[in-house]
Amino acid sequence: AQKVTQAQTEISVVEKEDVTLDCVYETRDTTYYLFWYKQPPSGELVFLIRRNSFDEQNEISGRYSWNFQKSTSSFNFTITASQVVDSAVYFCALSEAVGNNAGNMLTFGGGTRLMVKP
Amino acid sequence: DSGVTQTPKHLITATGQRVTLRCSPRSGDLSVYWYQQSLDQGLQFLIQYYNGEERAKGNILERFSAQQFPDLHSELNLSSLELGDSALYFCASSVDLGGGETQYFGPGTRLLVL
């Protein structure tokens, strides 16, 4: 069965610090997809990134970057020069590509609450 | 704004009652998903529909049921409500049904069972 672990339940940083959120996953499939979602205090879930298991290139989007390492089954998320608006709960999620007829459930980690203080 | 709409935003009801949560997917999306977010269970997948048909089932209680209508909107019905059903219920949608499709989430319906 698939599993996602976010060991850091809560992180507190001061504005402008860099912060890395860890995500470790378990799956038996060779083809799978990893996601990060942000849940700000308002409650909605905002999609940040999708990565498939065959693409190990790191990705950078503005102050956000993601490091995918299959060897350690990790998909970590770094925020550079954090801002107060980054305060939110961040979720890592996994989807196995079990075939087009078998559905597409997301398995979420427990989330990491990030607090950025001014 | 993801383009997924959910109504109502908040719902307060009593134990034993039945409620219906409604979701409209993004324009063009054929798959709809329901998730439950609670303090003790975290974010859990409940059920997926694709173009009106049930495609995948997760940890959905027998007291809960869902359907997707021809116009692709979906409803989640929760009956014989218990205190433990209090949670944030999310609907998500994606273009297709296969594994790996990006799911875009609605704002959620916050259910409080008293």
Side-chain angles (χ1 to χ4, degrees):
Chain A
Q2 53 190 25
K3 184 180 177 183
V4 178
T5 301
Q6 295 179 255
Q8 306 149 309
T9 53
E10 201 166 288
I11 300 177
S12 181
V13 299
V14 176
E15 210 171 16
K16 296 183 185 171
E17 284 185 10
D18 298 347
V19 58
T20 295
L21 310 182
D22 297 334
C23 172
V24 173
Y25 61 91
E26 294 176 30
T27 177
R28 291 173 294 187
D29 278 10
T30 56
T31 302
Y32 51 90
Y33 297 82
L34 296 162
F35 301 81
W36 276 93
Y37 286 86
K38 174 182 179 180
Q39 187 174 36
S42 50
E44 73 272 25
L45 278 169
V46 179
F47 165 73
L48 295 178
I49 189 171
R50 167 185 180 267
R51 173 69 64 197
N52 76 55
S53 55
F54 297 108
D55 183 1
E56 287 194 71
Q57 275 195 326
N58 292 333
E59 181 152 340
I60 298 174
S61 176
R63 297 184 296 106
Y64 294 172
S65 62
W66 289 269
N67 180 270
F68 176 32
Q69 292 199 344
K70 282 178 81 169
S71 60
T72 56
S73 297
S74 65
F75 186 42
N76 297 337
F77 172 31
T78 297
I79 301 175
T80 302
S82 60
Q83 300 176 1
V84 173
V85 292
D86 295 327
S87 297
V89 181
Y90 291 87
F91 291 94
C92 181
L94 167 69
S95 172
E96 292 174 339
V98 292
N100 279 341
N101 290 323
N104 179 29
M105 60 174 283
L106 285 175
T107 297
F108 284 89
T112 297
R113 181 178 300 277
L114 174 65
M115 291 178 291
V116 181
K117 298 178 181 176
Chain B
D1 187 347
S2 67
V4 178
T5 60
Q6 289 186 248
T7 56
K9 286 188 177 175
H10 303 275
L11 201 47
I12 302 175
T13 188
T15 53
Q17 295 298 305
R18 172 191 168 96
V19 296
T20 297
L21 312 183
R22 182 189 168 105
C23 166
S24 292
R26 295 186 319 157
S27 177
D29 284 0
L30 299 179
S31 263
V32 169
Y33 312 79
W34 287 97
Y35 290 84
Q36 181 194 58
Q37 184 178 28
S38 62
L39 284 175
D40 53 346
Q41 299 288 329
L43 262 165
Q44 288 211 9
F45 169 74
L46 295 178
I47 198 163
Q48 176 193 3
Y49 278 82
Y50 174 76
N51 207 19
E53 291 187 13
E54 181 184 308
R55 283 298 186 172
K57 219 166 183 176
N59 297 323
I60 186 166
L61 300 171
E62 284 192 13
R63 300 184 285 108
F64 295 1
S65 65
Q67 52 184 325
Q68 186 180 26
F69 296 86
D71 67 351
L72 301 177
H73 91 270
S74 177
E75 292 181 357
L76 179 66
N77 299 296
L78 315 176
S79 61
S80 302
L81 285 168
E82 302 174 0
L83 296 177
D85 297 327
S86 296
L88 185 52
Y89 291 85
F90 284 108
C91 169
S93 72
S94 68
V95 173
D96 209 336
L97 61 80
E101 287 277 320
T102 296
Q103 297 179 29
Y104 295 90
F105 284 76
T109 293
R110 193 172 294 277
L111 173 66
L112 179 59
V113 182
L114 300 175

